[in-house]
Amino acid sequence: MPELPEVDTVVSGLKHNFLDKKIIDLKVYWPNIIKNYQDFKIKGEVITDVKRHGKYIFLILSNNKTIVIHLRMTGQLLKDVALDKHCHLEFFFQNLEILRLVYRDIRKFGGFELIATDEIGRYLRDKKIASDALSIQFNEFYRHLTSKNIIVKQVLLDQKVVAGLGNIYVDEILNRSFLSPSRIANSLTKEEAETIFIMMKEVLIASIKMRGTTFSDYVDLDNKKGRFQGFLRAYNQEGKKCFNCGNTIKKMKLVGRGTYYCDNCQV
Ligand SMILES: [Zn+2]
């Protein structure tokens, strides 16, 4: 599933290719991908900005409306690709030549929605989405993190605690913080929470520089894979040596998710 660095890479690609471009047509091959399909009126509008919060993408339009996109498990936004049976939506943009943006999604969990631009804040509040992992301040992070009597892995995955993390980056952050994924969150000291906070920002920024992590479906707008999988220290590294201590990385199921950790240095 695309997490913050992958979604951020997609947002950069959208800005680079489609900012100030006019949507001249839209073809919908699977209307269920759009919430309130009959109200999805975007033809003739210009993309004036592209924003991200957590894993949400916001395409800001010239008519004070905003297209909200969530890629969920396998959603992809691709520039000028040939259509296949997994392509559900096709945008056409005015340029010297026609530009196309295609939404492809094998599992079909992703979705589009049109809201008023001044309702973005309320949209996120209604869903109880917390501050974005790159902009959240320590005090808010610490308060959310240590308010729960459940394991730290589950807390960090909760978008109501901090927005943007998923299974890959939570495992990476905890390995780099020398903390066990099954530690109870409200048992963390302030110093341990600070370490998690610092490692969270560090890992996310490093991955954005590498244009995200690709294991299966994630690609950028140009259909190119990310490169951060070459820098992972825990996620999907079962049987390999721990970067911190040389012990073997193990895998277990935790809150229903495959979890990679070192049982020597993560306490
Ligand atoms: Zn270790």
Side-chain angles (χ1 to χ4, degrees), residues 8-41:
D8 202 79
T9 305
V10 169
V11 165
S12 301
L14 289 168
K15 276 187 183 165
H16 180 73
N17 289 282
F18 299 107
L19 208 57
D20 299 323
K21 301 280 191 298
K22 186 192 264 190
I23 303 166
I24 53 167
D25 203 4
L26 174 76
K27 282 186 181 157
V28 182
Y29 305 107
W30 196 65
N32 289 351
I33 213 81
I34 302 171
K35 195 176 175 187
N36 302 323
Y37 172 56
Q38 62 287 351
D39 301 327
F40 199 75
K41 295 186 169 58

Side-chain angles (χ1 to χ4, degrees), residues 175 178 242-247 249 262-266:
N175 177 265
F178 298 95
C242 173
F243 182 89
N244 304 325
C245 74
N247 190 43
I249 296 287
C262 171
D263 61 3
N264 182 47
C265 70
Q266 289 182 246

